Amino acid sequence: MSHEFLQNIWYLLIGVLLTGYAVLDGFDLGVGVMYPFVAKKDEERRLLLNSIGPFWDGNEVWLLTGGGALFAAFPHVYATVFSGFYLALFIVLSALILRAVSFEFRSKEENPTWRKAWDYIFFVGSLVPAVLTGVAVGNIMRGVPLNAQMEFIGNFFTLLNPFSLLVGLTGLAMFVSHGAIYLMMKTNGPVAERARRWANGAWIALVVLAILTTIVAAIEVPQRFENASRQPLIWAIPVLTAIFMGLTRWNLARGRAGLAFLFSSLTIVGLMAIFGAANYPYLVPASNVPEYSLTIFNASSSRLTLLVMLIIALIGMPIVIIYTAYIYYALRGKARVEKEGY
């Protein structure tokens, strides 16, 4: 296998890992964002926690694996992102840690004040990563200022530009829609009805924001459309994504939550594929001097490293996929509030 082939394979594999994270952790982040609004009383809040309780930590494995793969396959990118975006990543990781703690601590005491405090932390701990994940995607699409040493030369507020915030809101709508559909599958009664209303509203918001993001991207970063101009087949990806969006709404209107969740997941896969196809071969584009950009060709590890990693991935990834599928199969069905649960 040539070095170039391996660089392309790892671009694809890291995309698969991050897409798996967006699909799987996306719904439980969405549930967390809706938590204060869909659940009106303590028993309903416990129901929401129990609906995602068996899965949320396994879902985050995809993010950790994606980060690990990025470190080994494209170490220059890892160094640039984790040093330059340090404050943003610190905020996201702090939110995820506090969110994880809230799962375990909330039900340790029956004191309403105690539980209310952890409810608030759980909500904020879900909202922050749901928004900032999209902001990160927006910055990678738009590009960030880099120097000749591949170092980020902006600051935290450089990342909070209008385009990236718009992508952040698009991501938030996507996660909320996905999470609401998931709750329709896992709950009954008033909670499921409130989730249905949220799913419809968030789906409309997602469609509007996705169209707006496309228009702004065409104005602000037209170079992201160059790959599609050279390879017209790429246009099939947004077309399929639009079809998946439509089928999500069509099944929602007919109360088919399972099929709606399937097409919502495929919509996320499609949006991630659009992002990957538009940015190829750039991993961190430079917004100031294009020649300073980090690509899969100037930021990768050696051929031997990529080859050894590929062998490990071909052994490990099927195992991860199989045990993840088994967990979801074994814990299928409606969530219940139990004394031993959250």
Side-chain angles (χ1 to χ4, degrees):
M1 293 182 189
S2 69
H3 195 193
E4 182 179 344
F5 177 77
L6 290 167
Q7 289 163 330
N8 280 286
I9 285 290
W10 274 103
Y11 183 75
L12 179 65
L13 286 179
I14 290 174
V16 169
L17 290 169
L18 296 180
T19 300
Y21 172 73
V23 170
L24 295 176
D25 209 36
F27 73 74
D28 69 58
L29 287 175
V31 170
V33 173
M34 291 181 292
Y35 181 75
F37 312 105
V38 171
K40 300 295 184 183
K41 49 189 179 182
D42 186 69
E43 186 178 357
E44 292 178 348
R45 294 188 187 101
R46 292 186 62 203
L47 180 64
L48 261 61
L49 292 175
N50 280 312
S51 72
I52 58 175
F55 310 114
W56 69 269
D57 47 357
N59 294 341
E60 291 186 357
V61 167
W62 290 80
L63 179 63
L64 296 174
T65 309
L70 185 69
F71 168 72
F74 302 106
H76 294 299
V77 175
Y78 186 91
T80 298
V81 170
F82 278 73
S83 59
F85 301 176
Y86 185 82
L87 180 56
L89 290 169
F90 177 79
I91 292 172
V92 170
L93 291 176
S94 298
L96 289 174
I97 290 170
L98 287 171
R99 182 173 185 265
V101 174
S102 68
F103 267 103
E104 304 300 330
F105 275 49
R106 182 188 184 278
S107 296
K108 298 294 184 187
E109 295 285 345
E110 294 190 359
N111 185 312
T113 304
W114 170 272
R115 292 192 170 188
K116 188 175 180 180
W118 286 112
D119 287 343
Y120 179 74
I121 291 171
F122 178 63
F123 166 67
V124 175
S126 302
L127 178 64
V128 169
V131 174
L132 291 187
T133 300
V135 171
V137 170
N139 277 293
I140 296 300
M141 285 181 68
R142 181 177 177 270
V144 294
L146 300 174
N147 63 19
Q149 288 72 46
M150 302 180 178
E151 294 171 349
F152 177 61
I153 53 175
N155 55 47
F156 176 70
F157 296 101
T158 306
L159 304 176
L160 302 179
N161 54 80
F163 176 73
S164 298
L165 290 173
L166 175 62
V167 179
L169 291 177
T170 306
L172 176 63
M174 180 180 78
F175 289 147
V176 171
S177 170
H178 199 45
I181 296 170
Y182 175 79
L183 280 181
M184 288 172 62
M185 288 197 308
K186 299 294 285 185
T187 62
N188 286 313
V191 172
E193 175 56 26
R194 289 182 209 121
R196 186 189 63 78
R197 291 198 293 268
W198 271 81
N200 287 326
W203 182 88
I204 293 170
L206 172 60
V207 171
V208 172
L209 288 166
I211 293 172
L212 189 58
T213 298
T214 305
I215 294 171
V216 176
I219 298 169
E220 185 149 346
V221 281
Q223 62 271 32
R224 296 292 164 262
F225 292 80
E226 291 175 357
N227 286 337
S229 301
R230 286 191 289 266
Q231 297 288 340
L233 195 59
I234 290 176
W235 287 108
I237 301 174
V239 171
L240 280 174
T241 304
I243 292 172
F244 294 148
M245 276 185 175
L247 288 172
T248 301
R249 183 68 184 86
W250 194 75
N251 284 289
L252 262 178
R254 284 153 185 78
R256 298 168 182 165
L259 283 173
F261 186 76
L262 170 65
F263 286 112
S264 176
S265 300
L266 290 174
T267 298
I268 296 174
V269 173
L271 291 172
M272 290 295 288
I274 292 171
F275 170 56
N279 259 51
Y280 178 86
Y282 295 101
L283 292 163
V284 184
S287 60
N288 49 340
V289 182
E291 289 73 22
Y292 294 167
S293 299
L294 282 84
T295 72
I296 62 172
F297 303 116
N298 68 5
S300 76
S301 295
S302 67
R303 176 186 170 278
L304 179 60
T305 300
L306 296 180
L307 180 60
V308 171
M309 285 174 54
L310 180 61
I311 294 170
I312 295 170
L314 290 176
I315 296 170
M317 282 189 74
I319 296 172
V320 173
I321 292 170
I322 289 170
Y323 83 65
T324 301
Y326 175 75
I327 290 170
Y328 277 89
Y329 175 77
L331 298 172
R332 66 189 182 281
K334 301 290 183 182
R336 296 189 301 272
V337 176
E338 297 173 339
K339 186 178 179 181
E340 297 79 14
Y342 292 103

